[in-house]
């Protein structure tokens, strides 16, 4: 039972439109400059795992395409995007790349579509230059629909981004040090509300959660979650039931995007670039394996976690290519590992429960 | 690099390889196959192609330690490597070979046992299987000093090469080509040009050779001429009947993919083009009775090449064009040695898989009209997301706009375990009926 | 004989069969029972326990601890604790054969490979529970297609010398492959041999993923199939331990876990 239950998304979005005149943009995973949208009085609404049944999307997508893309397309096809003023597709992977083109080129929607390419590692000077140019280019394109971007507004929104990052960092640190009194389910429920809340609402929520959760965590074994998102969400309550604490994560939807530092540049575009290149390692940026291994091991050391659960979304190539080497490195350090192949919105099957329970039995 | 290894390499190149070719010619003469009732005479150039590729893989065994070795993705701008005299190996070409020789499942299984998921690209699984087991049908692949990748064809090659880079502790250079969601942008071009400039010092360091721009320009010219010839080779299939089938083309594309920028590729396509022009002039078709002309979409189903070739020929159907083979000729017009870096950036960014699906649709419409195509076979390849995602809509739109019937074959490029013969035949039979009726 | 001794019980509720084992205070198995699960897991668990108690000559209140395992472990409210079948097979196999380092369990609906550490503790495991290939179901489907009693499949696979290769990894594809092979008049024994090879190959890749450590013990209903055992031993290059009643290994492990204490309280669901 969460102390901070999420408000119904549709109601919230309608309010944002009606009360604040905000433009709503459906944003597909994963990395994009939300501060630019905020500065143009637009609200990004992230589309990760909408709670809908797939029917239409199968006419467009083969069975071997991941459910993030499938559900995202389904959302568009079912017309749930009608409330939106446009879509934004970051260049996350091959499937999202082609999804963007299917939506833009083939579906004949009367909806503005924007595309954001972020440079891939190994990074060089050219990557940085390009990133800043691409940011400005995006702002220009958005400007045609939303009016020109005010640089001082952008600065203000970068500050909001900094605030959020700072509170999230504190929450993560507290959790890692067993100083957070909150269930796994509640933690992620709060964090993931950032996928659609405006900073004006997200910041107070985070602050309230932080204030309400100071204290000692329950004793018990700790694990790290790795993957795109904590899926199925039921795994969080199962771990709560088993007395297992998620002490850290290596999740694309969470720590990989949220634990950022913006640096001290006065130019807001430079700050955003700083934040991008300082992000934790991620497969969607082609971060080298050494960096990923280092990141997860450091988290394990810091938190005393005994094991890592890889919650993989079926067919997710970027994540699955890194898993074997991560698992090898973790096992070599005596950590238990569990790799789970999951679909979105399918709940927690008996078999999955058994795997997680067996894993916990292994750790204890 | 070691002197003894270098000496051995040249010995093999000048003495060993020719001896091997001589031997294989003798063996070939002994194996005379029955002429097929459906096919026209086989291409004379087939022999020369076999020689070239056998020689390439033979020499590959001796390249390690003799020359700087680079493993290269099929869409990467290899022209920047040639001035440094890298010996280049194309794991995707090797993967196709493994697929054709039907050894993909066992190599993939090696990678799968190490934790690589069965849903991952099978070229990658084969390659990782080769790395872990050391087994390959070509004898031996030289260990690379450099991994050179471009994500213009897909992101997966980078995930794959990243894994290799970590396993072997070898540098990876990525040529990052921003996806052309709409038109290519000036900032995209300048990003790519800068990347070329940045990679030169590293290439110099790994190869031990200095970069000479004139040499680079020479190579671009060579590559441009080869690509142009390859385009001409493909264009001969506009003839009725087409002098070659796309299954032939899938084999004959090996030099333009993996030996581009080397004189051998240019020389080869001159020879092949001459033969094809002669056949076209004399009305000699690849298949005896060309009743229908088809287009193939996506990479080949490498382990079904012969079977499909026979099956379609039996039905009087010839594949006269494909988006896949066309890819190495499409962007030739952008190549310009006078503006080496900028033109290379455009050439490699504007390839079919790096452009939006509208662009692909238009391209296919052009090919359908130019080659007078009656029907389309769409290979929905499990391994290849950029090629496959969007095909269902493509099928529908081509039917709506051009009335072109098509059939989707669900398979994989090399992993035959993902293929059901029964399912494919059922669909193909229906397709044959639709075309005939 | 065990009238006043403390005993412990383990119940393994699978989707097809339910087993119960009673061990004495020293962890020695006193009795076991096997019956069909049917539609009601709780009833099956009750019946299996009763039967084992009867066999053992032990009354219910002599049971000082009871652990439920298996797919239906949540349906055994009268058990004190629940432990997964992975941990139970591991401890069970280790207790029967203390040199066990690897357990291969092929059940009716799933298969698993477990790396066993000191004391029978689980060090690593991998499971196949989404796909019928590599499980007893594969054999069932093929036996039905060939109209051969399931119990005869093993011996038929070992008769004769020839073998036909089944290339499909998917049960559905393999089924149609078998149908065409029959239509092409391949000898039945050769096809059956190929089927057994296929199931072993499927499980073998899981074995390779976990790695072979120490001696190998095979458990689960499919271990009664001599063909699967023989072909797996061929792959391993050495014999495996197979208990005369391979199906009860999980329940035995559960009983031993009951003796050790630990496990999740049964009331949590």
């Amino acid at each position: 039972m969460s102390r901070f239950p999420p408000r119904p998304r549709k109601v919230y979005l309608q309010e944002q439109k009606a009360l604040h005149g905000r433009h709503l943009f459906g944003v597909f995973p994963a990395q994009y400059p939300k501060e630019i949208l905020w500065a143009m009085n637009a609200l990004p609404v992230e589309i990760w795992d909408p709670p809908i049944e797939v029917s239409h999307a199968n006419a467009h997508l083969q069975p071997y395409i991941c459910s993030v893309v499938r559900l995202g397309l389904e959302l568009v096809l079912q017309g749930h995007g009608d409330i939106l003023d446009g879509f934004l597709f970051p260049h996350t992977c091959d499937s999202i790349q082609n999804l963007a083109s299917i939506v833009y080129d083939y579906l004949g929607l009367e909806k503005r579509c924007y595309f954001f390419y972020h440079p891939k590692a190994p990074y060089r000077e050219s990557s940085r230059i390009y990133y800043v140019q691409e940011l400005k280019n995006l702002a220009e394109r958005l400007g045609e629909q939303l009016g020109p971007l005010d640089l001082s507004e952008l600065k203000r929104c970068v500050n909001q981004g900094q605030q959020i990052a700072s509170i999230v960092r504190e929450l993560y640190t507290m959790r890692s040090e067993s100083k957070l009194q909150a269930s796994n389910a509640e933690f992620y429920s709060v964090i993931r509300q950032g996928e659609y809340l405006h900073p004006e609402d997200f910041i107070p929520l985070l602050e309230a959660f932080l204030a309400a959760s100071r204290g000692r965590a329950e004793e018990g074994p700790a694990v790290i979650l790795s993957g795109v998102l904590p899926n199925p969400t039921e795994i969080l309550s199962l771990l709560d039931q088993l007395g297992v604490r998620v002490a850290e994560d290596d999740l694309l939807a969470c720590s990989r995007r949220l634990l950022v530092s913006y640096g001290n540049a006065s130019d807001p575009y430079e700050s955003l670039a700083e934040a991008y290149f300082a992000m934790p390692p991620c497969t969607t940026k082609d971060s080298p394996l050494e960096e990923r291994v280092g990141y997860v091991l450091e988290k394990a050391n810091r938190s005393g976690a005994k094991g890592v659960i890889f919650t993989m979304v079926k067919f997710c190539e970027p994540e699955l290519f890194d898993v074997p080497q991560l698992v090898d490195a973790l096992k070599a350090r005596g950590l238990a590992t569990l790799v789970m192949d999951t679909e979105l919105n399918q709940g927690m099957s008996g078999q999955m429960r058994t795997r997680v329970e067996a894993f916990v039995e292994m750790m204890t | 690099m070691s002197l003894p290894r270098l000496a051995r390499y040249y010995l093999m190149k000048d003495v060993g390889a020719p001896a091997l070719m001589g031997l294989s010619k003798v063996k070939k003469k002994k194996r005379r196959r029955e002429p097929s009732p459906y096919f026209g005479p086989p291409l004379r150039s087939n022999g020369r192609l076999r020689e070239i590729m056998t020689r390439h893989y033979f020499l590959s065994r001796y390249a390690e330690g003799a020359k700087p070795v680079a493993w290269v993705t099929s869409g990467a701008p290899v022209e920047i490597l040639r001035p440094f005299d890298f010996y280049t190996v194309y794991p995707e070409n090797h993967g196709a070979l493994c697929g054709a020789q039907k050894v993909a499942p066992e190599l993939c299984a090696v990678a799968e046992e190490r934790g690589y998921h069965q849903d991952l690209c099978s070229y990658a699984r084969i390659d990782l299987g080769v790395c872990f087991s050391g087994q390959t049908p070509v004898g031996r692949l030289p260990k690379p000093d450099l991994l050179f990748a471009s994500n213009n064809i897909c992101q997966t090659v980078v995930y794959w090469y990243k894994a290799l880079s970590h396993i072997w502790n070898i540098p990876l250079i990525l040529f990052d080509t921003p996806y052309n969601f709409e038109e290519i942008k000036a900032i995209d071009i300048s990003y790519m040009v800068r990347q070329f400039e940045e990679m030169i010092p590293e290439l110099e360091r790994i190869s031990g050779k200095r970069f000479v721009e004139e040499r680079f320009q020479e190579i671009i010219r060579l590559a441009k001429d080869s690509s142009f010839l390859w385009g001409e080779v493909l264009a001969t299939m506009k003839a009725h009947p087409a002098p070659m089938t796309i299954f032939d083309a899938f084999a004959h594309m090996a030099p333009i993919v993996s030996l581009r920028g080397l004189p051998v590729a240019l020389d080869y396509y001159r020879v092949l083009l001459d033969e094809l022009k002669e056949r076209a002039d004399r009305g000699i078709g690849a298949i005896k009775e060309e009743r229908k002309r088809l287009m193939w979409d996506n990479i080949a189903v490498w382990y079904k090449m012969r079977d499909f070739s026979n099956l379609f020929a039996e039905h009087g159907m010839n594949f006269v064009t494909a988006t896949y083979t066309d890819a190495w000729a499409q962007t030739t017009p952008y190549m310009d040695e006078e503006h080496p870096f900028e033109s290379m950036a455009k050439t490699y960014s504007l390839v079919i898989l790096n452009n939006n699906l509208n662009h692909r649709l238009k391209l296919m419409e052009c090919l359908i009209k130019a080659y007078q195509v009656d029907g389309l076979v769409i290979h929905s390849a499990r391994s290849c997301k950029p090629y496959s995602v969007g095909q269902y809509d493509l099928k529908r739109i081509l039917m709506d706009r051009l009335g072109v019937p098509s059939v989707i074959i669900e398979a994989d490029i090399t992993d035959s375990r993902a293929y059901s013969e029964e399912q494919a035949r059922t669909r193909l039979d229906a397709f044959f009926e639709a075309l005939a009726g | 004989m065990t009238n006043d001794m403390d005993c412990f019980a383990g119940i393994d509720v699978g989707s097809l069969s339910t087993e119960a084992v009673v061990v004495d205070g020293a962890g020695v198995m006193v009795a076991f029972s096997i019956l069909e699960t049917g539609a009601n897991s709780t009833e099956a668990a009750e019946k299996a326990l009763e039967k084992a108690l009867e066999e053992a000559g032990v009354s219910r209140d002599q049971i000082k601890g009871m652990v439920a395992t298996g797919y239906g472990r949540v349906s055994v409210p009268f058990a004190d604790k629940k432990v997964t079948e992975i941990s139970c097979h591991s401890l069970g196999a280790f207790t029967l054969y203390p040199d066990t380092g690897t357990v291969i369990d092929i059940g009716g609906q799933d298969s698993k490979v477990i790396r066993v550490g000191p004391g029978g503790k689980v060090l690593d495991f991998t499971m196949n529970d989404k796909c019928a290939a590599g499980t007893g179901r594969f054999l069932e489907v093929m036996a039905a297609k060939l109209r051969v009693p399931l119990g005869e499949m093993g011996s038929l696979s070992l008769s004769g010398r020839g073998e036909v290769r089944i290339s499909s990894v998917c049960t559905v594809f393999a089924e149609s492959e078998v149908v065409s092979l029959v239509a092409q008049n391949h000898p039945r024994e050769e096809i059956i041999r190929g089927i057994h090879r296929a199931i072993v190959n499927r499980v073998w890749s899981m074995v390779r993923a976990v790695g072979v450590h120490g001696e190998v013990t095979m458990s689960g209903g499919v271990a009664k199939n001599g063909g699967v055992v023989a072909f797996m031993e061929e792959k391993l290059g050495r014999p495996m331990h197979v208990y005369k009643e391979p199906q009860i290994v999980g329940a035995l492990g559960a009983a031993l876990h009951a003796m050790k204490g630990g496990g999740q309280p049964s009331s949590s669901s």
Side-chain angles (χ1 to χ4, degrees):
Chain A
M1 197 58 235
S2 178
R3 296 165 292 175
F4 303 93
R7 302 186 43 207
R9 197 184 282 220
K10 255 232 156 81
V11 172
Y12 178 77
L13 295 179
Q14 276 154 356
E15 249 176 48
Q16 287 288 304
K17 252 191 139 77
L19 298 178
H20 303 282
R22 290 193 172 121
H23 286 91
L24 303 176
F25 281 84
V27 183
F28 288 83
Q31 309 196 54
Y32 65 101
K34 37 194 187 330
E35 298 83 349
I36 288 181
L37 286 164
W38 297 338
M40 297 171 104
N41 201 32
L43 179 67
V45 182
E46 295 178 11
I47 304 170
W48 289 86
D49 50 350
I52 53 182
E53 287 270 336
V54 173
S55 49
H56 302 67
N58 293 330
H60 300 265
L61 297 174
Q62 287 92 331
Y64 49 82
I65 309 305
C66 82
S67 37
V68 169
V69 165
R70 194 180 302 278
L71 283 173
L73 181 59
E74 186 70 33
L75 182 134
V76 174
L77 294 171
Q78 281 187 14
H80 297 289
D82 289 352
I83 192 181
L84 304 170
D85 298 291
F87 290 108
L88 172 61
F89 298 89
H91 189 266
T92 301
C93 64
D94 290 328
S95 297
I96 289 199
Q97 169 192 286
N98 279 34
L99 169 68
S101 189
I102 289 176
V103 170
Y104 188 52
D105 295 313
Y106 284 169
L107 291 187
L109 289 180
E110 295 282 317
K111 202 76 81 170
R112 297 288 279 257
C113 289
Y114 298 88
F115 192 74
F116 181 70
Y117 191 85
H118 53 87
K120 309 296 193 293
Y123 292 132
R124 295 145 291 194
E125 186 56 31
S126 58
S127 321
R128 227 195 149 81
I129 296 171
Y130 181 70
Y131 188 73
V132 171
Q133 288 174 329
E134 179 71 350
L135 286 175
K136 292 180 176 164
N137 188 277
L138 176 66
E140 223 177 277
R141 286 178 273 140
L142 284 165
E144 287 167 27
Q145 183 185 0
L146 306 174
L149 170 62
D150 181 322
L151 220 57
S152 57
E153 257 308 287
L154 183 58
K155 265 190 115 150
R156 193 181 67 81
C157 293
V158 168
N159 278 335
Q160 284 179 318
Q162 270 167 318
Q163 268 188 282
I164 291 175
S166 159
I167 309 174
V168 169
R169 186 176 300 281
E170 200 179 338
L171 283 168
Y172 268 76
T173 305
M174 277 165 60
R175 189 176 68 152
S176 188
E177 295 173 357
S178 283
K179 294 180 182 149
L180 192 75
Q181 259 181 8
S183 69
N184 298 320
E186 188 181 52
F187 183 88
Y188 285 101
S189 165
V190 169
I191 295 281
R192 293 194 63 193
Q193 286 180 51
E195 288 166 19
Y196 64 96
L197 288 183
H198 192 271
E200 281 167 11
D201 299 308
F202 192 43
I203 293 172
L205 169 66
L206 287 173
E207 284 172 339
F209 178 59
L210 182 65
S213 309
R214 288 189 195 282
R216 273 229 69 81
E218 305 252 339
E219 286 296 322
V223 294
I224 296 175
L225 287 186
S226 174
V228 164
L229 33 70
N231 190 66
T233 42
E234 289 83 347
I235 196 178
L236 298 168
S237 23
L238 173 58
L239 289 171
D240 283 322
Q241 273 170 46
L242 297 173
V244 174
R245 192 169 51 93
V246 176
E248 288 274 11
D249 71 54
D250 168 40
L251 295 168
L252 174 57
C254 308
S255 75
R256 291 191 211 166
R257 298 183 312 146
L258 301 174
L259 294 180
V260 291
S261 14
Y262 291 75
N264 293 315
S266 54
D267 177 349
Y269 287 112
E270 288 299 326
S271 294
L272 291 177
E274 190 67 26
Y276 175 75
F277 289 100
M279 262 185 209
C282 180
T283 56
T284 64
K285 301 183 310 183
D286 295 338
S287 299
L289 268 154
E290 299 80 66
E291 282 181 29
R292 291 209 63 217
V293 169
Y295 182 72
V296 180
L297 283 176
E298 199 243 308
K299 296 217 145 190
N301 286 338
R302 199 161 81 128
S303 63
K306 298 246 189 72
V308 180
I309 300 178
F310 292 88
T311 58
M312 298 287 101
V313 174
K314 203 158 163 61
F315 305 115
C316 182
E317 285 191 321
E319 291 294 298
L320 288 170
F321 260 101
D322 275 10
V323 163
Q325 310 231 16
L326 283 170
V327 164
D328 284 350
L330 293 168
K331 280 193 170 141
R333 289 290 195 97
L335 288 157
T337 61
L338 174 69
V339 181
M340 300 206 334
D341 229 8
T342 72
E343 299 270 17
L344 297 179
N345 297 345
Q346 301 282 300
M348 188 107 195
S349 66
Q351 292 104 327
M352 271 192 238
R353 275 189 79 99
T354 300
R355 279 195 164 97
V356 176
E357 286 178 20
F359 173 74
V360 173
E361 284 163 10
M362 249 168 81
M363 279 198 320
T364 48
Chain B
M1 308 311 128
S2 87
L3 222 48
R5 294 245 180 131
L6 190 61
R8 182 178 66 166
Y9 174 81
Y10 280 107
L11 181 70
M12 287 305 158
K13 186 170 184 206
D14 298 332
V15 176
L20 186 72
M21 297 309 115
L23 209 66
S24 76
K25 270 204 177 86
V26 172
K27 276 163 92 179
K28 217 40 301 256
K29 278 197 159 65
K30 290 192 182 153
R31 279 192 294 124
R32 251 317 79 149
R33 227 183 244 130
E34 277 296 314
S36 161
Y38 302 108
F39 290 98
L43 291 168
R44 285 190 313 267
S45 308
N46 285 345
R48 179 78 188 116
L49 174 72
R50 218 177 347 258
E51 256 178 49
I52 292 175
M53 295 316 293
T54 306
R55 180 174 173 278
H56 169 67
Y57 279 108
F58 173 74
L59 283 177
S60 297
R61 300 184 202 181
Y62 304 101
E64 195 177 321
K67 293 181 145 224
V69 175
W71 283 25
V72 186
T73 61
S74 62
V78 70
E79 292 82 351
I80 192 77
L81 295 184
R82 300 253 179 255
F84 299 97
D85 205 27
F86 277 94
Y87 190 91
T88 55
V89 170
Y90 282 74
E92 289 161 67
N93 178 268
H94 174 256
L97 204 146
C98 292
Q101 297 205 13
K102 310 203 177 164
V103 298
E106 51 191 85
L107 286 168
C108 288
V110 175
E112 287 154 27
E113 282 157 19
R114 296 287 284 251
Y116 288 91
H117 203 284
Q118 214 174 22
D119 292 333
L120 298 174
C121 166
S122 60
Y123 276 162
R125 279 181 287 139
I126 288 173
D127 199 44
L128 288 160
V130 170
C131 297
F132 294 134
S133 69
Q135 310 271 9
T136 152
V138 304
R140 205 178 155 276
L141 286 180
K143 198 149 168 239
D145 301 293
L146 168 69
L147 294 158
F148 189 63
S150 178
N151 51 10
N152 54 354
I153 54 167
C154 66
Q155 303 308 306
T156 293
V157 286
V158 188
Y159 310 144
W160 160 16
Y161 277 45
K162 227 180 56 168
L164 292 175
S165 171
H166 188 246
I167 293 168
W168 282 329
N169 197 19
I170 289 175
L172 164 65
I173 292 181
L174 169 67
F175 183 62
D176 185 13
T177 51
Y179 180 71
N180 300 313
F181 187 59
E182 288 175 297
E183 293 305 313
I184 191 171
K185 312 195 291 283
I187 60 173
D188 301 328
I189 296 175
S190 56
Y191 175 42
M192 289 182 276
V193 168
R194 278 198 189 95
Q195 289 179 64
F196 278 127
E197 290 161 2
E198 283 164 342
M199 64 176 77
I200 286 171
E202 197 171 353
L203 292 170
E204 286 180 333
R205 188 183 58 78
I206 297 172
S207 67
K209 281 188 93 141
R210 245 191 68 248
F211 179 69
V212 177
E213 189 159 332
E214 287 75 34
R215 181 88 183 98
F216 183 43
Q217 289 172 305
E218 220 179 281
I219 286 162
I220 292 176
R221 200 165 28 241
L222 239 174
K224 183 173 75 171
D225 291 344
S226 306
S227 299
F228 177 74
L229 281 180
W230 172 245
E232 293 288 285
V233 159
L234 294 174
T236 62
M237 289 196 276
K238 289 182 187 168
H240 289 252
M244 180 170 75
T245 106
I246 217 64
F247 297 109
D248 295 317
F250 284 154
H252 290 275
M253 67 190 285
I256 195 66
V257 176
S258 51
L259 301 171
R260 188 167 72 260
L262 294 171
V264 62
L266 183 65
D267 295 337
Y268 177 65
Y269 289 122
R270 281 204 188 104
V271 168
L272 178 61
L273 181 60
D274 283 345
E275 185 185 356
L276 289 170
K277 277 191 170 148
E278 191 200 315
R279 283 169 67 121
D281 286 342
R282 290 166 57 195
I284 299 176
I287 67 170
K288 288 205 179 120
E289 265 195 68
E290 188 183 276
R291 293 197 291 277
K292 294 286 176 188
R293 297 162 63 87
L294 304 180
M295 177 160 84
W296 178 278
D297 183 49
N298 212 319
I299 303 172
V301 183
W302 294 110
Y303 48 92
K304 290 298 285 181
M305 293 265 282
R306 175 155 308 178
D307 286 350
F308 279 170
S309 184
N310 289 339
L311 177 66
F312 284 94
E314 276 167 35
H315 285 82
M317 298 181 185
N318 193 16
F319 283 91
V320 298
T321 184
T323 50
Y324 180 49
T325 41
D326 177 76
W328 278 268
Q330 256 296 311
T331 52
T332 311
Y334 296 110
M335 297 173 94
D336 176 9
E337 64 269 29
E338 296 308 311
H339 303 95
F341 296 112
E342 198 180 304
S343 75
M344 286 283 102
K346 287 199 191 127
T347 303
Y348 286 94
S349 168
L350 292 167
V351 293
I352 181 178
L353 293 179
N354 204 42
N355 291 324
N356 63 55
L357 293 172
N358 245 345
H359 174 271
R360 191 177 314 182
L361 187 60
K362 286 198 203 102
L363 177 65
M364 290 173 84
E365 287 177 342
C366 277
L367 290 173
I368 287 171
K369 293 194 180 118
Y371 286 80
Q372 302 189 309
V373 164
D374 303 305
L376 168 62
V377 174
I378 298 175
H379 171 205
S380 165
R382 223 184 142 82
S383 284
C384 191
K385 307 262 186 342
Y387 231 136
S388 303
V389 177
Q391 281 177 327
Y392 287 6
D393 286 286
L394 203 71
K395 176 184 203 297
R396 180 181 48 84
I397 295 174
L398 283 172
M399 183 44 128
D400 290 345
R401 282 207 216 166
L402 297 180
V404 175
S406 49
V407 61
I408 297 183
I409 305 292
E410 301 278 358
D412 182 56
I413 49 187
T414 64
D415 192 350
S416 50
R417 298 171 297 176
Y419 175 70
S420 162
E421 182 72 40
E422 290 72 33
Q423 192 200 69
R425 280 312 299 265
T426 307
R427 290 187 183 195
L428 283 173
D429 285 341
F431 178 63
F432 294 146
E433 282 164 22
L435 274 184
Chain C
M1 77 175 165
T2 42
N3 269 345
D4 44 4
M5 217 180 149
D6 283 352
C7 289
F8 299 89
I11 308 182
D12 183 354
V13 186
S15 48
L16 299 175
S17 66
T18 296
E19 294 80 36
V21 163
V22 176
V23 301
D24 66 19
V28 175
M29 180 158 60
V30 173
F32 69 84
S33 69
I34 306 175
L35 39 82
E36 259 182 50
T37 305
N40 192 321
S41 299
T42 313
E43 266 179 39
E46 264 294 353
K47 285 209 186 87
L49 178 64
E50 266 170 46
K51 197 153 170 256
L53 288 173
E54 213 184 290
E55 275 285 315
V58 156
S59 67
R60 191 70 172 252
D61 40 89
Q62 281 176 267
I63 302 294
K64 297 305 167 202
M66 193 182 334
V67 162
T69 188
Y71 157 86
R73 65 187 177 281
V74 294
S75 311
V76 189
F78 50 88
D80 303 304
K81 306 253 193 229
K82 305 178 296 178
V83 173
T84 66
E85 51 272 43
I86 289 103
S87 299
C88 289
H89 275 268
S90 184
L91 184 56
F94 180 81
T95 303
L96 288 168
Y97 305 104
D99 57 3
T100 299
T102 309
V103 173
I104 302 176
D105 171 50
I106 307 181
Q109 309 267 70
D110 67 23
S111 47
K112 38 187 151 330
V113 179
I114 308 167
R115 182 168 170 192
V116 181
K121 197 161 163 34
V122 176
L123 293 180
D124 195 10
F125 70 94
T126 188
M127 281 175 77
N128 161 38
D129 50 23
K130 287 195 195 82
C131 173
T135 74
R137 181 111 188 88
F138 187 77
L139 288 171
E140 230 186 275
V141 165
M142 297 304 160
K145 213 69 209 182
L146 293 167
R147 286 191 249 243
V148 169
L150 186 57
E152 282 178 30
M153 288 283 274
S155 46
L156 281 170
S157 75
L158 293 171
S159 67
R161 315 242 67 215
E163 185 176 327
V164 150
R165 191 168 165 264
I166 310 282
S167 60
S168 312
V169 286
C170 166
T171 307
V172 174
F173 288 177
E175 226 184 313
S176 31
E177 211 181 330
V178 163
V179 168
S180 3
L181 288 170
V182 169
Q184 291 162 41
N185 286 320
H186 281 277
R188 211 179 52 161
E189 288 72 20
E190 289 187 9
I191 300 177
I192 292 176
R193 208 175 164 92
I195 288 167
H196 281 69
R197 193 75 68 185
I199 183 177
V200 166
N201 285 343
R202 194 78 168 84
V203 177
W204 179 245
S205 54
M206 288 166 59
V207 174
R208 287 283 305 239
V210 171
V212 178
H213 305 269
E215 295 306 309
V216 181
T217 299
M218 185 176 259
S219 62
V222 175
K224 292 194 288 201
N225 179 312
V228 172
V229 172
F231 294 157
M232 188 63 82
E233 288 178 337
E234 224 179 276
K235 276 281 201 219
L236 281 166
R238 52 176 145 142
M240 296 186 294
H241 293 306
V242 183
Y243 187 63
K244 55 184 157 63
E245 292 290 350
Q247 272 171 288
I248 61 99
V249 175
L252 170 61
L256 293 166
H257 271 291
M259 199 175 85
K260 279 170 74 167
Q264 286 291 317
S266 192
S267 49
S268 65
S269 60

